[in-house]
Coordinates of all heavy atoms in Angstrom, one line a residue:
V1 N 3.9 5.2 7.7 CA 4.7 6.5 7.7 C 5.1 7.0 6.3 O 5.1 8.2 6.0 CB 6.0 6.3 8.6 CG1 6.9 7.6 8.5 CG2 5.6 6.0 10.0
Q2 N 5.4 6.0 5.4 CA 5.7 6.4 4.1 C 4.6 7.0 3.4 O 4.7 8.0 2.6 CB 6.2 5.1 3.3 CG 7.5 4.6 3.9 CD 8.0 3.3 3.2 OE1 7.5 2.9 2.1 NE2 8.8 2.5 3.8
I3 N 3.4 6.5 3.6 CA 2.2 7.1 3.0 C 1.9 8.5 3.6 O 1.6 9.4 2.9 CB 1.0 6.2 3.2 CG1 1.1 4.9 2.3 CG2 -0.3 6.9 2.9 CD1 0.1 3.9 2.5
Q4 N 2.1 8.6 4.9 CA 1.9 9.9 5.6 C 2.8 11.0 5.0 O 2.3 12.1 4.7 CB 2.1 9.7 7.1 CG 1.1 8.9 7.8 CD 1.5 8.6 9.2 OE1 2.5 9.1 9.7 NE2 0.7 7.8 9.9
A5 N 4.1 10.6 4.8 CA 5.0 11.6 4.3 C 4.7 12.0 2.9 O 4.8 13.2 2.5 CB 6.4 11.1 4.4
T6 N 4.2 11.0 2.1 CA 3.8 11.3 0.7 C 2.7 12.2 0.6 O 2.7 13.2 -0.1 CB 3.5 9.9 0.0 OG1 4.6 9.0 0.0 CG2 3.1 10.2 -1.5
K7 N 1.7 12.0 1.5 CA 0.5 12.8 1.5 C 0.8 14.2 2.1 O 0.2 15.2 1.7 CB -0.6 12.1 2.2 CG -1.2 10.9 1.5 CD -2.3 10.2 2.2 CE -3.6 11.0 2.1 NZ -4.1 11.0 0.7
A8 N 1.7 14.3 3.0 CA 2.1 15.6 3.6 C 2.7 16.5 2.5 O 2.6 17.7 2.6 CB 3.1 15.4 4.7
L9 N 3.3 15.9 1.5 CA 3.9 16.7 0.4 C 2.8 17.0 -0.7 O 3.1 17.7 -1.7 CB 5.0 15.9 -0.3 CG 6.3 16.0 0.6 CD1 7.3 14.8 0.2 CD2 7.0 17.3 0.4
G10 N 1.6 16.4 -0.5 CA 0.6 16.6 -1.5 C 0.7 15.7 -2.7 O 0.2 16.0 -3.8
W11 N 1.5 14.6 -2.6 CA 1.7 13.7 -3.7 C 0.8 12.5 -3.6 O 0.4 12.1 -2.5 CB 3.2 13.3 -3.7 CG 4.2 14.4 -3.8 CD1 4.0 15.7 -4.1 CD2 5.6 14.3 -3.6 NE1 5.1 16.4 -4.1 CE2 6.2 15.6 -3.8 CE3 6.5 13.2 -3.2 CZ2 7.5 15.8 -3.6 CZ3 7.8 13.5 -3.1 CH2 8.3 14.7 -3.3
S12 N 0.7 11.8 -4.7 CA -0.1 10.6 -4.8 C 0.7 9.4 -5.2 O 0.2 8.3 -5.4 CB -1.3 10.7 -5.7 OG -0.8 11.0 -7.0
R13 N 2.0 9.6 -5.4 CA 2.9 8.5 -5.8 C 4.1 8.4 -4.9 O 4.6 9.4 -4.3 CB 3.5 8.8 -7.2 CG 2.4 8.8 -8.3 CD 3.1 9.2 -9.6 NE 2.3 9.1 -10.8 CZ 1.5 10.1 -11.2 NH1 1.3 11.2 -10.5 NH2 0.8 9.9 -12.3
M14 N 4.7 7.2 -4.8 CA 5.9 6.9 -4.1 C 6.7 5.8 -4.8 O 6.1 5.0 -5.5 CB 5.6 6.5 -2.6 CG 4.7 5.3 -2.5 SD 4.4 4.8 -0.8 CE 5.8 3.8 -0.5
E15 N 8.0 5.9 -4.7 CA 8.8 4.9 -5.2 C 9.1 3.9 -4.1 O 9.6 4.3 -3.0 CB 10.1 5.4 -5.8 CG 11.0 4.3 -6.4 CD 12.1 4.9 -7.3 OE1 12.2 6.1 -7.5 OE2 12.9 4.1 -7.8
S16 N 8.9 2.6 -4.3 CA 9.0 1.7 -3.2 C 10.3 0.9 -3.2 O 10.7 0.3 -4.2 CB 7.8 0.7 -3.2 OG 7.9 -0.1 -2.0
R17 N 11.0 1.0 -2.1 CA 12.3 0.2 -2.0 C 12.1 -0.7 -0.8 O 11.7 -1.8 -0.9 CB 13.5 1.2 -1.9 CG 14.8 0.5 -1.8 CD 16.0 1.6 -1.9 NE 15.8 2.7 -1.0 CZ 16.5 3.8 -1.1 NH1 17.4 3.9 -2.0 NH2 16.3 4.8 -0.2
N18 N 12.5 -0.2 0.4 CA 12.3 -1.0 1.6 C 11.1 -0.7 2.4 O 10.7 0.5 2.5 CB 13.6 -0.8 2.5 CG 14.8 -1.4 2.0 OD1 14.8 -2.0 0.9 ND2 15.9 -1.3 2.7
I19 N 10.5 -1.7 2.9 CA 9.3 -1.6 3.8 C 9.6 -2.5 5.1 O 9.9 -3.7 4.9 CB 8.0 -2.1 3.2 CG1 7.7 -1.2 2.0 CG2 6.9 -2.0 4.2 CD1 6.6 -1.6 1.1
D20 N 9.7 -1.8 6.2 CA 10.1 -2.4 7.4 C 11.5 -3.2 7.3 O 11.7 -4.3 7.8 CB 9.0 -3.4 7.9 CG 7.8 -2.7 8.4 OD1 7.9 -1.6 9.0 OD2 6.7 -3.2 8.1
G21 N 12.4 -2.5 6.6 CA 13.7 -3.0 6.4 C 14.0 -4.0 5.3 O 15.1 -4.5 5.2
M22 N 13.0 -4.4 4.6 CA 13.1 -5.4 3.5 C 12.6 -4.8 2.2 O 11.6 -4.1 2.2 CB 12.3 -6.7 3.8 CG 12.9 -7.5 5.0 SD 12.0 -9.0 5.2 CE 12.5 -9.9 3.7
N23 N 13.3 -5.2 1.1 CA 12.8 -4.7 -0.2 C 11.4 -5.2 -0.5 O 11.1 -6.3 -0.1 CB 13.8 -5.1 -1.3 CG 13.6 -4.3 -2.6 OD1 12.6 -4.6 -3.3 ND2 14.4 -3.3 -2.8
V24 N 10.7 -4.4 -1.2 CA 9.3 -4.7 -1.5 C 9.2 -6.0 -2.3 O 8.1 -6.7 -2.2 CB 8.6 -3.6 -2.3 CG1 9.3 -3.4 -3.7 CG2 7.1 -3.8 -2.4
H25 N 10.2 -6.5 -3.0 CA 10.1 -7.7 -3.7 C 10.5 -8.9 -2.7 O 10.4 -10.1 -3.1 CB 10.9 -7.8 -5.0 CG 12.4 -7.4 -4.8 ND1 13.2 -8.0 -3.9 CD2 13.1 -6.5 -5.6 CE1 14.5 -7.4 -4.1 NE2 14.4 -6.5 -5.1
D26 N 11.0 -8.6 -1.5 CA 11.4 -9.7 -0.6 C 10.4 -9.9 0.6 O 10.5 -10.9 1.3 CB 12.8 -9.4 -0.1 CG 13.8 -9.5 -1.1 OD1 13.6 -10.3 -2.0 OD2 14.9 -8.9 -1.0
I27 N 9.6 -8.9 0.9 CA 8.6 -9.1 2.0 C 7.7 -10.2 1.8 O 7.5 -10.7 0.6 CB 7.8 -7.8 2.3 CG1 7.0 -7.4 1.1 CG2 8.8 -6.6 2.7 CD1 6.1 -6.1 1.3
S28 N 7.1 -10.7 2.8 CA 6.2 -11.9 2.7 C 4.9 -11.5 1.9 O 4.6 -10.3 1.8 CB 5.8 -12.4 4.1 OG 5.0 -11.4 4.8
D29 N 4.2 -12.5 1.5 CA 3.0 -12.2 0.8 C 2.0 -11.5 1.7 O 1.2 -10.6 1.2 CB 2.3 -13.6 0.3 CG 3.1 -14.2 -0.9 OD1 3.9 -13.4 -1.5 OD2 3.0 -15.4 -1.1
A30 N 1.9 -11.9 3.0 CA 1.0 -11.3 3.9 C 1.4 -9.8 4.1 O 0.5 -8.9 4.1 CB 1.0 -12.0 5.2
A31 N 2.7 -9.5 4.2 CA 3.1 -8.1 4.3 C 2.8 -7.3 3.1 O 2.4 -6.1 3.2 CB 4.6 -8.1 4.6
F32 N 3.0 -8.0 1.9 CA 2.7 -7.2 0.7 C 1.2 -7.0 0.6 O 0.8 -5.9 0.1 CB 3.1 -8.0 -0.5 CG 2.8 -7.3 -1.8 CD1 3.6 -6.3 -2.2 CD2 1.8 -7.7 -2.6 CE1 3.3 -5.6 -3.4 CE2 1.5 -7.1 -3.8 CZ 2.3 -6.0 -4.2

């Protein structure tokens, strides 16, 4: 969904904070 919203705006970048409720530095290796 985050990618979809980014592309809907015509952008190619996003700032990553939480993914599925966890910060990008805390998600599992598989999730990353």
Side-chain angles (χ1 to χ4, degrees):
V1 173
Q2 294 176 20
I3 289 172
Q4 289 169 10
T6 300
K7 292 181 75 69
L9 284 160
W11 301 348
S12 62
R13 294 174 174 87
M14 54 180 274
E15 183 164 358
S16 188
R17 182 170 50 191
N18 287 3
I19 298 172
D20 292 323
M22 294 184 66
N23 193 281
V24 64
H25 53 52
D26 291 331
I27 60 176
S28 69
D29 288 341
F32 181 75

